[in-house]
Amino acid sequence: MIPDELIEAVGNARHVTVLTGAGVSAESGVPTFREAQSGLWARYDPMELATPEAFAANPRLVWDWYRFRRELVLGVEPNPGHRALVELESLLPEFTLVTQNVDGLHARAGSRDVVEFHGNLFTDRCFAEDKVVAGQESTQLPFCPDCGAPLRPGVVWFGESIPEAARDRAFAAARDCDVFFSIGTSSLVYPAAGLVEVARDAEATLVEINPEPTEIAQTLHYALAGASGEVLPALVKRLKDHRS
Ligand code: BV8
């Protein structure tokens, strides 16, 4: 399932960069972004809720959706895929984990220094000053204690720019790595989906872990068809056996 040459490439790598998407959290019980939304939210398209326009038009609906997602994520645990990435980091000289996920599960699994490309579900930001504000546990619409403007979830919405520090770190890591993993992402959302092209141009070995082929299938060196919660622990075990 995992070719020896790939284990060699990872074992000899100076720098490995990983991009994860919603598929890495699927085995924790967090629905992926493009799966039909469950229950109450089934009738809403995330693409229409995760926008500044949706928030301006109906802040209560958007806050209700994010609070629903916060509750959902607080009720789940990181899965073996998250934990395998923590172990992989400890086996390599340099490792950069970039995630599109806003659920914070990589950090809860023990990954340090995660590059949160699309922000984080659990922070609040002032809509006017765009600064992070201490989370307010309120069921109403929260407002900035400093300027009174509405607070919004600390995530990057469609049509919004990626936070500069996260964007710069992610693209630098894609340029510098010897092996680039794209794990659990449909590779549809830019600029995150552009990272693999940067890694390709830097002649990195390109690997995907996903049960389904995706938009980037043609550009890959290795496509490991499977669930990240199974493939990643198997990869780490093979790497440790290879080392011993
Ligand atoms: C920007 C936070 C511009 C919010 C998210 C036309 C062409 C190209 C681009 C565009 C376009 N029109 C508009 C754009 C830009 C747009 C974009 O890319 N749209 C796409 C949809 C076409 N991008 C933006 O707007 C970005 N900003 O471009 O700014 C700009 C420039 C200058 C100045 C001002 C503005 C901002 C995008 C960020 C949006 N925010 N999230 C929230 O979460 O509420 S994105 C959202 O989608 C999530 O973060 C999610 O992570 C992300 C990507 O989805 P995936 O993670 O890939 O999840 P998905 O469900 O799609 O796929 C899951 C995969 O997992 C599947 O492949 C499945 O097979 C696999 N899987 C399932 N189970 C498993 C598994 N894999 C492994 N193991 C398993 N067990």
Side-chain angles (χ1 to χ4, degrees):
M1 138 89 100
I2 303 174
D4 291 342
E5 303 80 16
L6 175 56
I7 298 298
E8 284 275 336
V10 178
N12 296 331
R14 177 188 48 79
H15 184 183
V16 168
T17 295
V18 172
L19 171 68
T20 62
V24 164
S25 296
E27 290 156 273
S28 293
V30 182
T32 64
F33 214 71
R34 270 155 199 79
E35 269 169 4
Q37 296 222 79
S38 57
L40 178 64
W41 298 100
R43 65 176 181 274
Y44 292 99
D45 173 355
M47 296 289 293
E48 279 148 31
L49 287 176
T51 67
E53 293 78 16
F55 183 76
N58 194 338
R60 186 178 304 283
L61 174 71
V62 173
W63 262 116
D64 286 351
W65 183 48
Y66 280 96
R67 285 198 184 102
F68 164 74
R69 291 171 61 193
R70 284 179 176 176
E71 285 309 304
L72 186 146
V73 167
L74 288 172
V76 304
E77 293 298 324
N79 66 60
H82 293 109
R83 287 194 291 275
L85 287 171
V86 179
E87 193 165 5
L88 186 61
E89 178 175 6
S90 70
L91 297 171
L92 294 164
E94 193 173 353
F95 181 88
T96 304
L97 176 56
V98 181
T99 189
Q100 299 172 87
N101 300 339
V102 297
D103 57 32
L105 288 176
H106 284 302
R108 279 176 55 193
S111 289
R112 292 170 294 104
D113 197 18
V114 181
V115 181
E116 292 190 312
F117 207 69
H118 292 156
N120 186 291
L121 195 54
F122 294 96
T123 54
D124 293 352
R125 284 212 326 259
C126 172
F127 202 62
E129 301 164 283
D130 201 28
K131 67 180 185 187
V132 174
V133 173
Q136 298 181 17
E137 282 320 307
S138 73
T139 52
Q140 302 310 318
L141 292 180
F143 290 94
C144 176
D146 301 332
C147 77
L151 294 187
R152 48 154 302 162
V155 298
V156 179
W157 280 327
F158 288 98
E160 293 187 322
S161 303
I162 305 304
E164 199 172 331
R167 192 197 57 227
D168 293 350
R169 281 194 62 202
F171 278 90
R175 268 195 300 277
D176 181 60
C177 68
D178 309 296
V179 182
F180 182 90
F181 283 87
S182 178
I183 307 175
T185 179
S186 58
S187 294
L188 289 172
V189 174
Y190 283 82
L195 289 166
V196 68
E197 293 152 23
V198 169
R200 179 198 58 206
D201 295 348
E203 294 175 6
T205 298
L206 307 179
V207 192
E208 178 160 70
I209 300 175
N210 194 318
E212 311 288 332
T214 70
E215 296 285 309
I216 62 170
Q218 303 313 318
T219 191
L220 298 168
H221 298 101
Y222 300 95
L224 306 181
S228 48
E230 291 161 23
V231 174
L232 281 168
L235 178 86
V236 167
K237 182 177 182 322
R238 285 281 304 280
L239 194 59
K240 287 160 72 174
D241 294 349
H242 174 71
R243 286 266 171 94
S244 55

